[in-house]
Amino acid sequence: MSAPATAKQSRGLGVRCEELVHIYRTGDVDVVAVRGVDLVVQAGERVALLGPSGSGKSTLLGMLGGLIPPSAGRLWIGDEETGGLSERALLGLRAQRIGFVLQGAARNLLQYGTPIDNVRFAHRSVRRSARRDLMEPRELLDVVGLGQVADRPVPSLAGGEQQRVALAVAVANGPGLLLADEPTSQLDTAGRDAVLDLLDLVNERFGTTVIVVTHDAEVGARLGRTVSMRYGRVGNEGDRGQQYTVVGKDGSVHLPDDVVAEWPPGTHVLVERTDDGVHIRRRPT
Ligand code: ADP
Ligand code: MG
């Protein structure tokens, strides 16, 4: 006899993308920000998205949350292929089942309200009859250590406090998918730990799939799986401390950073097949 489905299994929304591309068109210039990303994140998984500035992390995250339309490629959020959804259906999916923290805390908040107003507003967007498991707004703010400032005007809060309010707002709907863009960038260790605790809590309570863009290696380590981007492509993946290089569609590989430092672009390498595998070495000089 199989076990009954838990809330955890039913709520989490996985994402899957195939050759996802995004091109920003500004005047005469096209910027290819995401260049053919294939990625599968299972429901309930926790992933850190890493990479240098300008590598396409924010753009990919925006696409995964249905905020930025792909220029090419296919994307599934849960079982829905987003290309087949109307604008209205996509809006509904975002309001009911996705939580998003944009890069830059202030952009996420209604500045004329208080933290509690902001969280209540997000809380109300959910059909309450369908969800009896949501956390109360004050409880959420307590978890991120903001109980004391819940009734202050948002502009009077420090950047790090606004960041934590933004995360509380993003999880108020008990999302199946939480996407957070550098949610700890302005926080000290205690603030960062409060954020990571809340990520754990929603992951456990709702089965939320969590994808976080971060520069902080400790955030990556705590989430477990890391996906690294470079020049709009996923080049490396880490899983519990082990690093893997991902082979691209065209057969290209992103070498690890320390190898790139030794072998600058244009270096010739030999790829040799031997009895015990395939080896790469620098062309002898
Ligand atoms: P990251 O989050 O990794 O720093 P982004 O996704 O923000 O990367 O940006 C990827 C590339 O797309 C960069 O070259 C950036 O300059 C460009 N870009 C980002 N947003 C825009 C925009 N709104 N218009 C034009 N180019 C953009
Ligand atoms: Mg970014």
Side-chain angles (χ1 to χ4, degrees):
M1 204 171 77
S2 62
T6 62
K8 184 163 178 152
Q9 285 163 334
S10 58
R11 287 246 193 276
L13 280 181
V15 290
R16 178 155 70 93
C17 48
E18 279 180 15
E19 300 213 45
L20 216 51
V21 173
H22 188 74
I23 304 172
Y24 290 104
R25 296 188 199 286
T26 47
D28 295 339
V29 187
D30 286 354
V31 178
V32 188
V34 171
R35 320 174 168 249
V37 166
D38 294 296
L39 183 67
V40 177
V41 177
Q42 304 291 349
E45 215 180 342
R46 306 181 322 158
V47 179
L49 197 53
L50 310 170
S53 182
S55 58
K57 305 179 298 294
S58 293
T59 306
L60 178 62
L61 204 70
M63 285 196 284
L64 298 182
L67 295 175
I68 297 178
S71 306
R74 300 173 77 188
L75 169 70
W76 289 261
I77 300 176
D79 297 330
E80 303 275 10
E81 187 180 353
T82 57
L85 294 177
S86 64
E87 188 60 26
R88 191 185 154 87
L90 199 55
L91 275 172
L93 182 66
R94 289 205 322 246
Q96 303 290 328
R97 304 200 61 194
I98 300 177
F100 208 104
V101 180
L102 295 169
Q103 189 170 5
R107 293 166 68 201
N108 294 283
L109 301 175
L110 304 169
Q111 292 290 326
Y112 50 79
T114 63
I116 198 79
D117 294 334
N118 272 271
V119 179
R120 281 199 186 119
F121 187 72
H123 204 248
R124 273 203 296 269
S125 72
V126 181
R127 264 181 266 113
R128 299 297 297 281
S129 56
R131 297 294 299 271
R132 299 186 192 287
D133 58 348
L134 296 185
M135 290 170 76
E136 287 306 315
R138 282 198 192 273
E139 186 188 355
L140 264 171
L141 288 171
D142 279 338
V143 173
V144 288
L146 293 176
Q148 300 295 318
V149 299
D151 300 299
R152 298 232 190 112
V154 165
S156 73
L157 303 183
E161 289 173 330
Q162 295 199 23
Q163 249 184 337
R164 284 180 280 159
V165 179
L167 185 66
V169 166
V171 304
N173 63 350
L177 174 62
L178 175 64
L179 302 160
D181 201 344
E182 308 205 14
T184 63
S185 60
Q186 299 178 51
L187 299 175
D188 58 13
T189 310
R192 183 190 69 199
D193 288 346
V195 162
L196 289 171
D197 288 345
L198 183 57
L199 296 179
D200 281 348
L201 193 144
V202 293
N203 177 251
E204 277 158 28
R205 181 160 178 154
F206 306 116
T208 304
T209 309
V210 175
I211 306 178
V212 178
V213 172
T214 183
H215 278 106
D216 185 335
E218 283 207 35
V219 175
R222 190 150 145 194
L223 291 173
R225 177 177 170 198
T226 58
V227 171
S228 302
M229 293 185 75
R230 215 190 270 165
Y231 292 115
R233 291 204 177 90
V234 170
N236 296 287
E237 285 221 22
D239 193 8
R240 281 166 280 271
Q242 185 66 50
Q243 288 295 322
Y244 300 93
T245 296
V246 179
V247 179
K249 275 271 174 331
D250 57 356
S252 63
V253 293
H254 285 186
L255 298 170
D257 289 339
D258 57 324
V259 178
V260 173
E262 250 174 81
W263 295 352
T267 299
H268 290 192
V269 297
L270 290 161
V271 180
E272 296 171 311
R273 187 182 284 284
T274 66
D275 289 344
D276 62 342
V278 178
H279 301 267
I280 301 178
R281 67 186 172 93
R282 191 172 189 161
R283 179 183 190 171
T285 49

